[in-house]
Amino acid sequence: MKVYKFGGTSVGSPDRFRTLIGLINDGELKIVVLSAMAGTTNALVEISEFFAEGRREEAGKKCELLRKEYHRVASELFTSTTWAEQAHDLIDEHFNYINTLFTREFSRHNEKRILARGELISTALLHFLMVETGIPSLLLPALNFMRIDKDGEPDYFYIRENLRRELSAVTDEKIIITQGFICRNVFGETDNLRRGGSDYSATIIGAAIGADEVQIWTDISGLHNNDPRYVENTRVIRSLSYAEAAELAFFGAKILHPSSVNPARMKNIPVRLKNTMEPSDEGTLITSASEYVDYKAVAAKDGITALRIHSDRMLLAYGFMRNIFEVFEAFKTPIDMITTSEVSVSLTIEDPAHLEDIIRSLSSIGAVEVERNQTIICIVGDFRPDRVGSAPEIFEALNHLPVKMISYGGSENSVSILINTSDKTEALRSLSDKLFA
Ligand code: ADP
Ligand code: ASP
Ligand code: MG
């Protein structure tokens, strides 16, 4: 069985819904994982922010605008009044539910319930449309099987067992539709797999059922060698190893959720990235096979904070690193990059939630300097230890910009470089010219 995931743009309009049905209706049994319609989750985030700030009137207004937009889509989508009415009722049910939440206290739990509406509506609309078109399909609620554990990691045992039970009820339907992004947490509450999480849902499902392939359908023909939002003339990469794809996803290639490669890698399931608008394009295939070339791709991750801890007591001392790491462990804050010298350690974090506490704790170890608005540029290529030459093209490309940190040798697939976010676009363009021209 294959798993197909369609992102927001693939269900961005009534026409796109119809195109999607054409792509999945080939008589083969498959699970279709769907995101919310393009723009919906952003709108729901905005609504939740108004709600969180006590601006309930604005939250309500924004909510009504979104409701109207959905009614417009439903009116265009269905030809029969029966299914159009069902769709209008479903839309009202979800938006009325959001309105009842506004009468309660704001909480993170209520926010998650609001965010879940996007995927719940898009999957129901696709299901109605398929029934109207006469294509047998089954709507499988993700909240019946998708669950994360206390650390926010997929609970594979629970997912496998529950998915197996749900799938055993499938009879004639060839197409099983489910929601991406949403899940339950360890308390059984509605939660999600973080922004862009539908990719992750698809590979988790793929791993749980031992799928033949996971296909991620989006608005671009595969993973490109640089970020097309900032650089012109980027080129598609036809094949990538899991390790390479995971690094690019983690370091900012938005086409894939940062964690989405891991489940596929775990079970050796091929992942194919395809374009809904150009279905004949083969896209990018991600497998365990590695094909070494000096430079394959570049990605960038913003929102990074750098910390530099300096202490003369570090010289020839032992135990310093442990003391530093313990601080980050205590505040459950992962470290992305790290470089050291005899008397100082520089490292980066993405999550600044506990930054003040971390700085306070580190101050007892040494002097702490903090730099915000940093970006990690990740260059994926062949950086195996026997590579001859230290990738001079990278440093030539960046020699007109301040480079804050370099991480070389930690990974066989990549080099990471820290720069100011204000230099990001220039760095990406210059790297494209030097590495891929
Ligand atoms: P979806 O809604 O289908 O999940 P996303 O917007 O999350 O789509 O991901 C697709 C987008 O990722 C593309 O439109 C492109 O702008 C962006 N992107 C960023 N880096 C890359 C890259 N290296 N290769 C391809 N697309 C990329
Ligand atoms: N709808 C969710 C988001 O916008 C999940 C996804 O699109 O993958 O983040
Ligand atoms: Mg996405």
Side-chain angles (χ1 to χ4, degrees):
M1 190 169 7
K2 287 185 182 165
V3 178
Y4 283 47
K5 176 260 168 175
F6 291 91
T9 46
S10 307
V11 284
S13 68
D15 276 347
R16 291 277 164 80
F17 267 99
R18 290 183 200 107
T19 306
L20 192 161
I21 291 186
L23 292 173
I24 57 179
N25 187 27
D26 58 5
E28 273 185 34
L29 181 63
K30 58 176 70 68
I31 298 185
V32 173
V33 177
L34 220 58
S35 296
M37 285 178 63
T40 297
T41 312
N42 284 346
L44 294 171
V45 166
E46 247 183 84
I47 289 168
S48 305
E49 278 167 3
F50 283 137
F51 182 18
E53 291 161 10
R55 295 156 71 183
R56 291 181 192 220
E57 201 175 311
E58 283 153 284
K61 271 191 193 152
K62 179 101 200 158
C63 197
E64 288 318 303
L65 280 178
L66 195 59
R67 186 201 296 254
K68 248 192 211 152
E69 177 58 20
Y70 269 98
H71 282 304
R72 192 192 58 76
V73 169
S75 302
E76 258 187 66
L77 198 53
F78 298 95
T79 42
S80 70
T81 32
T82 318
W83 286 105
E85 273 171 19
Q86 293 249 35
H88 289 303
D89 288 350
L90 170 108
I91 290 162
D92 281 334
E93 209 176 284
H94 283 291
F95 282 95
N96 292 345
Y97 176 76
I98 298 179
N99 278 315
T100 62
L101 293 179
F102 291 156
T103 63
R104 305 182 197 167
E105 277 298 296
F106 173 82
S107 66
R108 287 295 155 206
H109 182 207
N110 283 336
E111 180 183 33
K112 303 270 173 70
R113 287 163 153 170
I114 294 175
L115 296 194
R117 300 300 115 192
E119 273 69 13
L120 290 169
I121 299 177
S122 66
T123 46
L125 291 182
L126 178 66
H127 179 54
F128 289 172
L129 189 62
M130 295 199 68
V131 180
E132 187 190 51
T133 318
I135 304 166
S137 68
L138 183 90
L139 182 59
L140 180 60
L143 298 181
N144 287 3
F145 65 87
M146 189 58 83
R147 193 159 107 145
I148 48 174
D149 63 18
K150 62 177 185 358
D151 301 317
E153 294 295 323
D155 181 343
Y156 283 105
F157 180 77
Y158 181 97
I159 295 166
R160 221 175 10 246
E161 293 302 303
N162 285 279
L163 199 48
R164 203 172 282 163
R165 193 197 58 241
E166 296 280 335
L167 292 178
S168 67
V170 176
T171 49
D172 286 344
E173 301 91 351
K174 294 276 189 212
I175 296 170
I176 299 148
I177 305 164
T178 193
Q179 297 86 19
F181 180 57
I182 64 173
C183 62
R184 288 196 189 277
N185 61 26
V186 76
F187 307 108
E189 299 163 341
T190 303
D191 209 317
N192 62 58
L193 301 171
R194 294 180 286 129
R195 294 305 307 273
S198 299
D199 305 328
Y200 199 19
S201 304
T203 54
I204 294 170
I205 293 171
I209 64 166
D212 301 322
E213 184 170 287
V214 174
Q215 297 192 352
I216 309 237
W217 290 77
T218 182
D219 58 359
I220 187 164
S221 297
L223 201 142
H224 281 218
N225 60 2
N226 207 328
D227 195 321
R229 293 168 299 175
Y230 302 98
V231 179
E232 284 171 15
N233 304 322
T234 58
R235 279 196 304 267
V236 61
I237 307 166
R238 292 296 174 197
S239 66
L240 280 168
S241 68
Y242 292 121
E244 291 166 338
E247 300 220 35
L248 289 167
F250 182 75
F251 286 111
K254 190 185 174 239
I255 187 167
L256 280 173
H257 178 281
S259 309
S260 60
V261 179
N262 289 339
R265 171 160 50 179
M266 223 166 55
K267 289 286 167 87
N268 207 15
I269 296 167
V271 177
R272 204 179 277 279
L273 309 180
K274 298 269 292 174
N275 188 346
T276 319
M277 270 85 78
E278 270 182 67
S280 59
D281 191 304
E282 66 191 85
T284 298
L285 182 64
I286 303 166
T287 62
S288 56
S290 302
E291 188 191 311
Y292 294 105
V293 292
D294 281 354
Y295 304 111
K296 253 190 197 172
V298 174
K301 181 171 173 168
D302 297 334
I304 302 293
T305 303
L307 292 112
R308 184 159 172 266
I309 306 113
H310 177 96
S311 170
D312 291 331
R313 285 181 290 137
M314 223 182 273
L315 193 65
L316 299 175
Y318 52 83
F320 254 97
M321 292 297 255
R322 193 196 59 206
N323 295 342
I324 291 171
F325 288 152
E326 272 175 358
V327 171
F328 291 88
E329 197 180 335
F331 294 107
K332 293 196 161 115
T333 302
I335 296 168
D336 280 344
M337 262 178 95
I338 179 156
T339 60
T340 65
S341 77
E342 272 304 330
V343 287
S344 62
V345 176
S346 294
L347 46 81
T348 68
I349 59 169
E350 198 188 347
D351 177 7
H354 301 289
L355 186 60
E356 295 312 317
D357 294 327
I358 289 171
I359 295 170
R360 203 171 310 117
S361 301
L362 288 174
S363 300
S364 62
I365 301 173
V368 184
E369 282 169 49
V370 180
E371 258 193 298
R372 293 177 175 81
N373 302 322
Q374 302 292 293
T375 290
I376 296 177
I377 302 270
C378 171
I379 299 110
V380 162
D382 180 4
F383 299 104
R384 286 174 294 174
D386 53 1
R387 175 180 172 135
V388 177
S390 55
E393 296 84 359
I394 296 177
F395 301 103
E396 274 170 35
L398 301 178
N399 69 5
H400 59 305
L401 299 173
V403 168
K404 309 298 188 69
M405 280 170 74
I406 300 168
S407 175
Y408 189 116
S411 159
E412 293 197 347
N413 308 301
S414 72
V415 168
S416 304
I417 291 178
L418 189 75
I419 58 167
N420 292 321
T421 301
S422 51
D423 293 328
K424 175 176 87 168
T425 306
E426 174 54 26
L428 289 177
R429 287 181 187 153
S430 185
L431 282 164
S432 257
D433 290 346
K434 272 275 183 277
L435 309 186
F436 309 125

